[in-house]
Amino acid sequence: MSAAALEALGLSAGHGGKSVFAALDFALRPGEVVALLGPNGCGKTTLLRCLFGLHRPMRGEVRLEGVPLAQVPATQRARRIACLLYTSDAADEEDSVDLGGRRIIKK
């Protein structure tokens, strides 16, 4: 099995001192596809923001290819991690474009 491309070790995060998830451990390996599901307010976006280095965890760490994310320069992070968040504003066909079979919203 290959080494983790992205991993969370004991990751806890929240807002305003309130935790939305705690002690999360997982590893994503190259080529894996995962889905992050849950009700509104359960911490899905907060988790993603932590994984992308956009939100500081309360505890734990994120590693990119074995290196703590905090030590990876932003330019290198941008070359390795990408995110396209879905918004429900794209109800009109003219507002979206097809890219590789996936709907992408134009802004």
Side-chain angles (χ1 to χ4, degrees):
M1 187 175 273
S2 61
L6 186 66
E7 61 187 322
L9 303 168
L11 199 64
S12 299
H15 301 280
K18 285 188 111 174
S19 178
V20 291
F21 60 84
L24 182 65
D25 290 308
F26 71 89
L28 300 175
R29 306 222 182 295
E32 281 187 318
V33 176
V34 298
L36 183 59
L37 305 172
N40 290 346
C42 73
K44 299 179 301 290
T45 300
T46 301
L47 172 58
L48 291 174
R49 290 179 58 79
C50 286
L51 295 176
F52 304 147
L54 302 174
H55 185 88
R56 175 174 274 164
M58 297 165 99
R59 284 185 275 320
E61 91 177 336
V62 174
R63 291 186 182 178
L64 179 62
E65 298 171 339
V67 179
L69 194 61
Q71 295 176 10
V72 179
T75 53
Q76 288 182 350
R77 270 197 325 253
R79 289 185 182 116
R80 303 294 300 148
I81 301 173
C83 174
L84 179 63
L85 297 176
Y86 168 80
T87 67
S88 59
D89 299 348
D92 186 338
E93 284 288 320
E94 294 179 19
D95 289 341
S96 63
V97 343
D98 191 73
L99 180 63
R102 297 183 182 177
R103 284 281 167 215
I104 307 299
I105 297 165
K106 289 196 283 186
K107 292 287 180 184

